[in-house]
Amino acid sequence: MCCAMKNLYVLTIILVGLATVSFGQTNGKWSVGVGYTPSVQSGSTFGVYINRHFGEKWQVGLMPFGWFYGYDNPGFTSLKSNSLGLNLSARYSPFQSKIFKPYLYSFAGYGYSTFKYSNPTYLIDVLTMDYVNLSLGIGTEIAISKGWSLDANLGYLGLAFFDRGYDSSPIFSVGVLKRFGKTE
């Protein structure tokens, strides 16, 4: 297990340990947050969540994201790649307890990737790809303190590249959310 994954597990355990009896997601109609997704194909994805809540069961939002990966083997091959995009997201929470708020989620959006390769036989080759993505899954918010929660989810991600086919993989994300604003 790599060092980054160990740190992620330790952070998750600490945040779950800090969960309190009072669920922090009962106030406000807006939430913002950040999330981290380790990639199955290597690299890391970071997202920002901006959500509008419609009661305690439904929320919709925007999720700008970035994926970053780099590999360098001096004298052989190097690769630097990234992807930027924007997703529209939706969540439905059928019920909540004082600590947990399980949900079903989906998101769909557009992304643009750049891959920059180099090796001794050719200096630089740049490949770009446009794609649309779709993900479905389950997750839970875990109360940390009033208005703050840990967010963890597991799902399946499909990518449809405009000119290069289709790819899919399971995904896992962890993040932190803050809910704010006055309820109506």
Side-chain angles (χ1 to χ4, degrees):
M1 185 182 321
C2 74
C3 184
M5 288 301 293
K6 286 181 184 177
N7 289 340
L8 180 62
Y9 290 128
V10 169
L11 176 64
T12 302
I13 290 169
I14 289 170
L15 290 175
V16 170
L18 293 174
T20 62
V21 179
S22 169
F23 196 83
Q25 294 298 307
T26 59
N27 296 331
K29 58 184 174 181
W30 295 94
S31 64
V32 295
V34 294
Y36 168 74
T37 303
S39 178
V40 174
Q41 297 89 2
S42 298
S44 297
T45 303
F46 298 92
V48 175
Y49 310 115
I50 305 161
N51 302 306
R52 171 67 163 94
H53 297 259
F54 298 94
E56 290 304 312
K57 294 191 180 236
W58 285 98
Q59 73 183 47
V60 295
L62 294 175
M63 183 175 51
F65 67 90
W67 171 74
F68 306 95
Y69 176 69
Y71 171 79
D72 190 20
N73 189 352
F76 295 99
T77 302
S78 71
L79 166 67
K80 293 192 182 349
S81 55
N82 63 64
S83 183
L84 298 173
L86 179 66
N87 290 324
L88 299 175
S89 62
R91 288 185 179 181
Y92 173 73
S93 178
F95 66 91
Q96 74 180 37
S97 72
K98 292 183 181 210
I99 297 175
F100 295 101
K101 183 178 183 179
Y103 59 83
L104 304 171
Y105 81 85
S106 68
F107 65 76
Y110 167 81
Y112 180 81
S113 294
T114 302
F115 300 89
K116 188 175 187 179
Y117 300 94
S118 67
N119 74 24
T121 59
Y122 57 90
L123 294 178
I124 295 177
D125 185 21
V126 177
L127 173 67
T128 61
M129 291 187 270
D130 294 296
Y131 62 89
V132 292
N133 65 61
L134 173 66
S135 181
L136 301 170
I138 59 171
T140 191
E141 293 177 26
I142 303 169
I144 298 172
S145 67
K146 187 161 179 66
W148 290 91
S149 64
L150 172 69
D151 181 61
N153 58 61
L154 178 65
Y156 198 73
L157 174 67
L159 303 172
F161 297 96
F162 289 162
D163 58 350
R164 290 179 174 76
Y166 179 81
D167 188 23
S168 62
S169 65
I171 59 170
F172 168 75
S173 271
V174 64
V176 176
L177 297 171
K178 169 65 174 145
R179 189 147 172 195
F180 62 93
K182 294 183 179 186
T183 57
E184 298 172 352

